[in-house]
Amino acid sequence: MPKQLIANRLKNAMGLHTPTVGMITISSAIDRRMRALQLDDCAQYLVNLDNDPGEMQKLIEAVIIPETWFFRDAIAYKKLLEYLRTRQSAVYKSQLRILSIPCSTGEEPYSIAMLLADNGFEVGTYRIDAVDISEKLIQKAKLGSYGKHSFRAEDLSFVDRHFTRYEDKFMLSDAVKAQVNFHHANLLDADFLPGYDIYDVIFCRNLLIYFDGPTQARVFSVLARLLKNDGILILGHAETSQRSAGLFETASNLGPYINRKASKTPAIPRASDKAGPISNKNAALADKQVPAELPESGLDSPLEKAFALANEGRVEEAIELGLACVQHDRFSSRAHYLLGLLYDISADTSKADDYLKKALYLDPNNIEALIHLSLMAEQRGDSDDSERLRNRAERVQNRNRLS
Ligand SMILES: C[S@@+](CC[C@H](N)C(=O)[O-])C[C@H]1O[C@@H](n2cnc3c(N)ncnc32)[C@H](O)[C@@H]1O
């Protein structure tokens, strides 16, 4: 019971939704904090939490999921470039402002900085701000030293251009580091980044998936305040702006997880506004969109194209390309994962199950495949299997956090 009360405190402080994140993750964070304080009574820890103003931050540090890597979901960066090029002349008139929230250990904002540097954007014509609730992650980001776990993109050609290797680490160049301003802040705080219409582009990826509907609505109202009217909001590939209470709409010419402020913006919802629960599962993929033109770019690969097609709702074409990818590289866990998603959307659950299991066989740490299999198990009413898979995903996440 005290653990549930602590989970409620965490939700109020940072938005974390227990059923989504899993009580095991929250419980093991509480256990770590109790060990650090040499407490064996959870009720006593709750008293500490309520009386020590610094303890909540320490609990937050213990519970956060910092999973990130350079050029994660390469298509998002391609879309960013596509958008910036359409307004390059405007960019040079006023400084382009980009926000990465949450930035975790910095791989996302530094990827943006490398992308701009590699594509001829002059220093001084843009400013990149990066924010995260974790002080520790922000400190790590400022150091700019990364292990191999941060390099999971298919195209790693940026490494030679921007990193120096020392021992088993890679050190980011000072030139790239200088382009990102890091801040420690909680997006749900009432005084979070005061001001209006500041940013041309906001990256807010892989945060909403941990929040329930009302908390997502709060996040969208903050982002709507900070984004310029003609700016874009880039979400993660499993996230949509459906819970934005009409503040955002999909930018159909750019792809479903790229959003713009709605043309007729309704009143910004209050934090207390109620919204029902949302299942993020496949929401972005299921959205049928007008296909976007994909420009030539170094970030292109058949698999990323297949993801892009899937995100544009072109399911059959995505399956065709995904199958070609699997034929070309039968050991690609990510390609099998994509086919699993696509067959699930096409209501072929048996094939979906096969491909997702194969994705896991090829990479037992494929968290996305684990989570999707868990959701499918939940849908067919097999809650034991669903929980087993979710716990496995959590263990992988915890291991990643420690490595
Ligand atoms: C999975 S990472 C996402 C990083 C990056 N955007 C990406 O997609 O690779 C989630 C991050 O959200 C941060 N976070 C969680 N709640 C937050 C909040 N209320 N305000 C700011 N950051 C938050 C965590 O500290 C963690 O670093």
Side-chain angles (χ1 to χ4, degrees):
M1 190 61 175
K3 279 201 171 162
Q4 190 51 55
L5 293 174
I6 296 167
N8 295 347
R9 304 278 202 285
L10 257 180
K11 180 165 186 296
N12 287 340
M14 68 177 293
L16 211 58
H17 182 224
T18 316
T20 313
V21 184
M23 195 58 201
I24 293 186
T25 300
I26 294 179
S27 183
S28 70
I30 297 171
D31 291 344
R32 276 203 297 283
R33 285 307 305 145
M34 285 173 58
R35 273 198 301 280
L37 294 168
Q38 298 183 330
L39 293 175
D40 49 18
D41 177 6
C42 205
Q44 182 55 48
Y45 178 69
L46 182 57
V47 174
N48 275 40
L49 187 64
D50 286 342
N51 290 297
D52 175 355
E55 184 52 35
M56 179 51 83
Q57 183 63 30
K58 289 181 184 147
L59 182 60
I60 288 173
E61 299 284 352
V63 83
I64 46 173
I65 297 151
E67 186 72 0
T68 187
W69 59 93
F70 289 107
F71 290 101
R72 179 180 193 174
D73 301 326
I75 190 75
Y77 294 92
K78 187 158 67 173
K79 293 293 178 188
L80 170 68
L81 199 56
E82 193 180 326
Y83 169 75
L84 295 180
R85 282 190 173 139
T86 61
R87 34 169 304 154
Q88 206 155 20
S89 54
V91 166
Y92 287 99
K93 276 185 210 128
S94 64
Q95 196 185 43
L96 175 75
R97 299 283 305 266
I98 302 175
L99 173 66
S100 160
I101 165 87
C103 65
S104 186
T105 34
E107 285 88 333
E108 182 177 275
Y110 284 144
S111 299
I112 299 170
M114 288 187 273
L115 184 81
L116 295 187
D118 290 346
N119 284 280
F121 287 80
E122 280 171 33
V123 168
T125 59
Y126 57 88
R127 177 192 159 106
I128 303 167
D129 295 329
V131 179
D132 200 279
I133 198 170
S134 162
E135 282 177 286
K136 279 194 188 145
L137 298 184
I138 291 289
Q139 289 313 325
K140 230 177 141 193
K142 285 181 179 168
L143 273 180
S145 164
Y146 294 95
K148 62 177 180 356
H149 212 61
S150 299
F151 301 92
R152 282 179 265 171
E154 292 218 331
D155 179 358
L156 291 175
S157 53
F158 64 92
V159 179
D160 287 344
R161 285 194 296 276
H162 298 290
F163 289 84
T164 326
R165 190 164 189 168
Y166 74 101
E167 294 168 3
D168 59 340
K169 296 275 181 204
F170 293 82
M171 194 71 201
L172 185 60
S173 73
D174 288 343
V176 174
K177 282 200 308 193
Q179 301 315 315
V180 181
N181 309 291
F182 286 101
H183 309 274
H184 159 238
N186 180 352
L187 193 150
L188 297 175
D189 276 353
D191 58 354
F192 176 77
L193 295 187
Y196 291 84
D197 302 338
I198 298 169
Y199 292 102
D200 301 274
V201 178
I202 299 180
F203 271 66
C204 182
R205 303 190 306 159
N206 302 301
L207 176 69
L208 295 168
I209 44 173
Y210 301 112
F211 293 168
D212 64 5
T215 311
Q216 290 190 19
R218 273 175 72 187
V219 170
F220 281 117
S221 71
V222 174
L223 301 180
R225 168 172 64 75
L226 294 173
L227 191 68
K228 289 182 184 168
N229 282 340
D230 54 355
I232 56 168
L233 166 66
I234 303 186
L235 300 176
H237 74 77
E239 296 165 327
T240 75
S241 57
Q242 280 172 4
R243 288 285 152 191
S244 74
L247 289 171
F248 286 96
E249 59 195 12
T250 301
S252 55
N253 59 332
L254 290 170
Y257 57 91
I258 314 287
N259 295 268
R260 289 184 188 279
K261 277 191 184 176
S263 33
K264 258 183 90 187
T265 308
I268 290 181
R270 296 181 307 279
S272 59
D273 283 355
K274 289 271 178 285
I278 179 177
S279 162
N280 283 312
K281 186 172 175 255
N282 296 332
L285 291 165
D287 237 3
K288 296 270 180 261
Q289 294 298 325
V290 180
E293 286 291 311
L294 297 178
E296 289 305 315
S297 155
L299 293 171
D300 265 347
S301 81
L303 186 53
E304 290 310 323
K305 273 188 183 156
F307 267 95
L309 287 169
N311 278 317
E312 289 161 11
R314 294 157 69 179
V315 175
E316 279 172 20
E317 289 163 80
I319 288 181
E320 202 177 313
L321 193 51
L323 287 170
C325 291
V326 163
Q327 248 182 6
H328 177 71
D329 178 4
R330 42 196 188 93
F331 300 113
S332 165
S333 172
R334 200 163 136 77
H336 283 83
Y337 161 70
L338 175 64
L339 284 168
L341 286 189
L342 291 165
Y343 281 119
D344 189 27
I345 292 168
S346 316
D348 191 339
T349 39
S350 150
K351 271 193 184 163
D353 202 58
D354 283 349
Y355 274 102
L356 289 167
K357 284 186 177 147
K358 186 86 191 286
L360 264 190
Y361 171 73
L362 292 167
D363 175 9
N365 295 332
N366 186 330
I367 292 183
E368 287 163 316
L370 280 166
I371 290 173
H372 200 86
L373 277 166
S374 160
L375 289 165
M376 281 174 64
E378 201 170 66
Q379 275 189 346
R380 66 171 180 270
D382 189 344
S383 47
D384 285 352
D385 203 31
S386 171
E387 199 184 353
R388 183 182 63 76
L389 288 156
R390 209 172 43 239
N391 291 345
R392 203 173 138 188
E394 281 175 26
R395 282 198 297 277
V396 175
Q397 270 169 350
N398 286 337
R399 264 206 309 279
N400 289 346
R401 190 174 21 229
L402 294 174
S403 67

